[in-house]
Each structure stands twice: as structure tokens, then as C-alpha cells.
């Protein structure tokens, strides 16, 4: 496969939106079609036999060979394949049958990938036990499904750790990446199947099924506790690797930090699929609960090299390759086209992105530190790509925009970069809320929002990078205390807000507000209140920020401000209520 077709297959496996059909009932035909199509449409057609196993330096190979997981991993995939396939044989519904068959096929392929790898690096495997066809196919399918829900959750985090620490060399990371993403698809498919399945059985079977679910969890917990006791001795010690494995992948992290990484990775891996699908939530909820009883995550010292490396590395590692021209742009019907064209701010957005690209590019030239320089340069590329993405959208959908040449950039490019950074913090925070409201209102087809989502994610990365860069620099100048940095930020935030108000005024004057607000915005504005908007901004910001290493700073000014505003709004409505009745 060529480089770009690999990237396409990878993207195709990661992002998927069902046909727009609005809300539906869980257990309905539409629900079934959605989760089955999700699995089928995101199939990644790689072939284990043609994977070119990268030659590893001796120490990397040694580390890999010494991991105690390969026997259990191969056997688990073997069992999973048989169990999933066996259940699939009992299913009558053709679409569901097809999806489960694919699930089984992929488990078999995981086994093959692992076995090939093990062979390539000369790892000795124990003899595989015979795989026995389960008697209760449904039970066996559920055991596999729920244990994948547990194991994948931790595997996501450990994989990320192994990647960050360099324990897995990049070539190997690339090879395993599709396997990881496949497990994400499997658990998503599985929990939706459970929700659908239990609603489609006769009423008298439902209590029995609920007991079965409990039984499966009981069994899995018992299995894991039993294995945990066996650690250090028994050959099956590695069954519990996913829970105890952070040391084995060569990184010392606190349990709390590992939990954070697992949660963030879990969110990230499942974020690209249709929002209407149910997400696996038992393990994330339990982990969130456990997190409350753990100590705070260790902080990195602001301004230290470790701090710099952390925020630059996170930024680089979360980079995604794509070409705006080849994104899955949907065909729009006339109504959607009109709504899209009536949005009054495309010109402003395009201009902002073009200017952003230019500022960051020019700023990059002034950065000496090579680590920072590389990261800032990447941001510049991304901003330029944002402009390209918006331009592509404008071209495809015939949006009326006049492109003006950029004003010359300010002479003080460092201040311009800072102003731009704080501006992004403000725009993104508000943008999160607008995006959520527009998406929930179905203002445009979901497939278009999925494209904008990439842009939103990149902006989130930019502002996290920016606030850390800012704090890093301030700390290096001896302004590490929070109040000191707070004062600097405040000054810049005030400037950013002033500019925003200016832009809004100009926009309103140019547009007269008439095209948009009268005809199109009613869709937005139905049920719109300032409070709901703030709540959406706040919640979306919190959700998106969870994806980053807990040791990094996040933009905090607007979230704090919103928090205060919301608390007072709540208090106010609480006080007001008695008077109304
Ligand atoms: Fe698997
Ligand atoms: Fe799986
Ligand atoms: Fe941008
Ligand atoms: Fe940006």
C-alpha cells in the first residue's frame, strides 16, 4: 500500500458518521443499522502477512521479547475469534450477522499479526491450548465483549505510554495502531449490541439477561483478582498485564497519571464515531470514581526542561496527517447549502486563519530553542492548513467570500504571537459552545461537523500548547508564581476581548445582521439562552481539555469566569423561584 492509502485507511477506520436521520430509539432498526454499519464501514483492509516487521535495535528487541504478555495475547485473540464467530452463527439478522462475522475475522487477524510478530522477533511461545467451541454462545460472546471493554481501556493508555517513552519504536507503534483502533471499534459495537439486543428480546427473557450480564462481570472480576494473586509466579501472570503493565513498558507513572491517560485515550479513540452511538461507560466510570481516592497528579515544574519537553511532545504526538482536498466532504442538499452559505463569518474565519499562518510562520523564525521551534513550526503548518480547509469548503459549496490581501504584520512579532494566542483561547472557548449547539440543532449534516471536528481538535491543541509556552517563558523570566502570570494573562485577555467586540461590531455593521439572524439563526436560537450557551462552552471546554496530559496547564481564565457567572446565575434563579410561585 502507498503511504497515502495507508493514511486514508487509517482515517477511514477512525472517523465515521451514520446517515443523518436524527434521533432514534435504542433497540430500533435504525440503531442496529447504525452500529453494524459503523463496524462494517470502518474496516481497515490491512494484511498481516505483508506487514514488514521493522528491524529493531537490540535493546528495543530485548524489551519487546521480555514482555510477559505474548502467550496470553495470542491465546486471547484465538479464543475471541472462536467465540465471536460461534455467536455469529446463531444470529439470523443478515446485517448483524455480517457485522459479527467481521468482528470475528478481525480477532483472527489480530492473532495472526501477533503470531507473525512473535515469529519475526524470535519470541518463544508456549504451545496453544486447544480452542474449545463454547456451549453457550451468547455467554461466551458477552465474556469476550466485556473483557475487551476492560482490557482495551487499559491497553489504550499503556500503548500511549509505550509510545511516549519510546519503549515501542515508532515503526512498531504504526503496526499496532490499527489493532488498537480495531479494539475500540469492537467495544463500541459490543455495548451497542447489548443495548439493542436486550430491547429486542421477549420481556420474560430480560431479567435472565440482566443476571447474565451481572454474571459475566462477576466472572471477569473474579478472573482478574485470581490472576492478580498469581502475579510473580504462575505462567498466567500476564493475564492481568493491562492493569499492572505500566512498569513493564518502561515508564514510572503514578496510578493516577496512568488513569488520566487511559481516560483521555479512551475518549480520543472513540471520539470519531457517530455521537448517537452508546459509549462503553462502566470501566471509565469506575476509574473516575477510583481517581477521586487517589492523590493529585504530580506536577512538572513550570519553566523546566521537563515541562518544555512535555508540552512540545504532546503537541507533536497528537498531530494528524490529512489533506483538506481529500477529506470526505459530503454532498449538501439545497437547504443545507443555503444555511452554510448564510453563515456570516466565513470571510472572517478565512482571514483569521490566513493571518494566523503568517504570524506563526514569522514568529517561528525568531525562536532559538530547537525543541520549541519544531513545535511552533508545526502549529504554523496547521494554521495554514486550516486556511486551506476553509478555502476548500468555500470553493466546494460556492460560498461568497472575497479574499483580501493580509495587512502587514506588526513589527513586534512576539507580541503579535501572544495576542494571537490569547485570541485563540477566547475564540476557542466560545467556539466550543457554538459548535455544540449547532451540531445538536442539526444545523448542518453530521458529516460536515465531523470535518470541522478535526479543526476544533487542532485549535484545542494550539491553546494548550500556547498557555504552556507562555508559562514556560514567564517562569524562565522569574515570573513563575501564579498571580504574576495571572496578571500578564489578564492584560492579554482584556486585549483579546476588546478585539472580539470590535470584530463583532464590524460584522454586525457590514451584514446588518439581516441575512443570517432573520432566516437561518432561528434554528440555532430556538431554546437558546445565554446560560445554556455558557454551560455548553464550559462543559465542552472541560471535555476537550481532558484529552491532554494532566500535568500540562490549560487555559483557565474564561472557564473560571464562566464558572463564576454560572454559579451566580444559578443562585439568582434559585432565589427567584419562590417569588414566582
Ligand atoms: Fe482482538
Ligand atoms: Fe476485539
Ligand atoms: Fe486555526
Ligand atoms: Fe490555531
Amino acid at each position: 500500500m502507498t503511504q497515502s492509502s495507508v493514511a486514508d485507511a487509517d482515517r477511514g477506520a477512525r472517523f465515521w458518521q451514520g446517515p443523518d436521520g436524527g434521533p432514534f430509539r435504542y433497540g430500533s432498526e435504525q440503531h442496529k443499522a447504525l452500529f453494524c454499519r459503523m463496524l462494517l464501514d470502518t474496516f481497515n483492509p490491512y494484511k498481516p502477512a505483508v506487514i514488514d516487521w521493522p528491524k529493531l535495535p537490540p535493546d528495543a528487541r530485548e524489551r519487546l521479547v521480555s514482555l510477559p504478555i505474548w502467550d496470553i495475547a495470542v491465546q486471547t485473540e484465538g479464543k475471541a475469534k472462536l467465540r465471536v464467530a460461534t455467536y455469529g452463527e446463531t444470529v439470523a439478522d443478515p446485517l448483524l450477522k455480517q457485522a459479527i462475522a467481521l468482528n470475528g475475522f478481525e480477532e483472527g487477524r489480530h492473532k495472526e499479526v501477533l503470531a507473525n510478530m512473535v515469529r519475526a522477533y524470535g519470541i518463544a511461545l508456549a504451545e496453544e491450548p486447544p480452542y474449545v467451541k463454547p456451549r453457550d454462545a451468547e455467554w461466551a460472546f458477552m465474556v469476550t465483549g466485556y473483557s475487551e471493554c476492560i482490557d482495551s481501556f487499559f491497553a489504550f493508555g499503556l500503548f500511549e505510554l509505550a509510545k511516549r517513552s519510546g519503549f515501542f519504536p515508532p515503526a512498531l507503534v504504526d503496526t499496532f495502531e490499527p489493532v488498537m483502533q480495531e479494539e475500540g471499534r469492537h467495544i463500541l459495537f459490543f455495548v451497542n449490541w447489548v443495548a439493542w439486543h436486550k430491547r429486542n428480546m421477549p420481556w420474560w427473557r430480560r431479567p435472565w439477561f440482566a443476571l447474565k450480564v451481572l454474571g459475566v462481570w462477576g466472572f471477569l472480576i473474579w478472573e482478574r483478582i485470581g490472576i492478580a494473586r498469581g502475579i510473580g509466579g504462575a505462567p498466567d501472570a500476564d493475564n492481568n498485564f493491562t492493569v499492572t503493565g505500566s512498569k513493564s513498558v518502561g515508564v514510572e507513572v503514578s496510578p493516577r497519571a496512568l488513569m488520566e491517560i487511559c481516560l483521555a485515550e479512551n475518549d480520543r479513540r472513540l471520539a470519531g464515531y457517530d455521537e448517537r452511538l452508546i459509549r462503553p461507560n462502566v470501566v471509565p466510570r469506575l476509574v473516575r470514581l477510583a481517581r477521586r481516592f487517589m492523590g493529585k497528579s504530580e506536577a512538572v515544574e513550570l519553566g523546566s526542561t521537563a515541562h518544555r519537553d512535555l508540552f512540545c511532545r504532546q503537541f507533536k504526538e497528537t498531530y494528524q496527517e490529512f489533506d483538506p482536498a481529500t477529506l470526505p466532504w459530503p454532498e449538501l442538499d439545497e437547504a443545507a447549502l443555503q444555511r452554510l452559505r448564510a453563515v456570516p463569518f466565513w470571510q472572517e474565519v478565512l482571514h483569521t486563519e490566513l493571518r494566523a499562518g503568517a504570524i506563526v510562520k514569522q514568529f517561528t523564525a525568531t525562536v532559538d530553542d530547537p525543541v520549541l521551534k519544531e513545535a511552533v513550526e508545526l502549529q504554523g503548518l496547521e494554521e495554514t492548513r486550516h486556511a486551506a480547509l476553509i478555502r476548500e469548503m468555500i470553493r466546494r459549496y460556492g460560498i461568497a467570500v472575497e479574499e483580501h490581501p493580509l495587512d502587514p504584520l506588526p513589527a513586534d512579532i512576539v507580541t503579535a504571537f501572544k495576542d494571537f494566542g490569547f485570541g485563540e483561547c477566547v475564540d476557542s472557548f466560545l467556539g466550543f459552545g457554538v459548535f455544540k449547539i449547532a451540531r445538536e440543532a442539526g444545523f448542518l449534516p453530521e458529516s460536515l461537523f465531523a470535518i470541522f471536528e478535526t479543526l476544533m481538535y487542532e485549535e484545542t491543541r494550539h491553546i494548550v500548547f500556547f498557555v504552556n509556552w507562555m508559562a514556560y517563558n514567564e517562569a524562565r523570566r522569574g515570573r513563575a508564581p501564579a498571580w504574576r502570570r495571572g496578571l500578564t494573562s489578564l492584560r492579554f485577555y482584556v486585549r483579546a476581548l476588546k478585539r472580539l467586540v470590535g470584530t463583532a461590531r464590524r460584522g454586525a455593521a457590514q451584514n446588518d445582521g439581516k441575512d443570517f439572524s432573520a432566516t437561518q439563526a432561528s434554528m440555532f436560537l430556538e431554546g437558546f439562552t445565554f446560560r445554556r450557551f455558557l454551560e455548553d462552552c464550559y462543559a465542552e471546554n472541560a471535555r476537550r481539555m481532558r484529552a491532554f496530559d494532566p500535568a500540562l496547564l490549560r487555559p483557565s481564565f474564561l472557564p473560571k469566569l464562566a464558572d463564576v457567572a454560572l454559579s451566580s446565575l444559578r443562585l439568582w434563579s434559585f432565589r427567584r423561584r419562590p417569588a414566582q410561585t
Side-chain angles (χ1 to χ4, degrees), residues 116-272:
N116 287 355
M117 186 204 74
V118 158
R119 222 172 293 131
Y121 296 119
I123 299 169
L125 279 188
E127 200 178 319
E128 289 176 50
Y131 296 104
V132 194
K133 210 168 167 162
R135 260 184 301 154
D136 183 344
E138 189 190 62
W139 167 270
F141 182 60
M142 285 161 67
V143 167
T144 291
Y146 281 121
S147 68
E148 286 203 325
C149 288
I150 301 176
D151 294 338
S152 302
F153 178 84
F154 292 103
F156 292 161
L158 288 171
F159 185 68
E160 175 65 18
L161 265 186
K163 195 162 116 182
R164 284 189 200 169
S165 69
F167 182 89
F168 272 8
L172 217 50
V173 166
D174 289 347
T175 313
F176 275 104
E177 181 49 50
V179 174
M180 285 288 151
Q181 196 59 28
E182 260 160 27
E183 296 300 6
R185 289 161 56 245
H186 291 172
I187 61 178
L188 189 61
F189 175 77
F190 177 74
V191 296
N192 280 277
W193 170 81
V194 171
W196 177 84
H197 185 56
K198 72 178 177 206
R199 286 170 175 82
N200 281 282
M201 57 180 62
W203 64 268
W204 52 265
R205 261 208 75 198
R206 292 184 197 183
W208 169 235
F209 185 75
L211 279 179
K212 214 167 174 177
V213 171
L214 274 181
V216 170
W217 279 105
F219 170 74
L220 290 172
I221 291 167
W222 171 81
E223 191 186 56
R224 272 157 187 74
I225 294 174
I227 293 152
R229 260 196 236 114
I231 284 233
D236 55 353
D238 41 10
N239 222 333
N240 217 28
F241 176 76
T242 44
V243 193
T244 56
S246 78
K247 275 210 188 95
S248 320
V249 295
V251 206
E252 289 277 346
V253 287
S254 67
R256 161 128 194 172
L258 177 63
M259 300 295 105
E260 298 285 355
I261 296 170
C262 290
L263 284 167
E265 279 296 290
N266 182 63
D267 285 355
R268 182 181 74 82
R269 288 202 180 266
L270 298 179

Side-chain angles (χ1 to χ4, degrees), residues 274-286:
D274 200 305
E275 278 199 337
R276 292 167 294 179
L277 291 168
I278 298 172
R279 265 41 183 185
N281 61 22
V282 174
V283 182
R285 266 192 207 153
L286 284 175

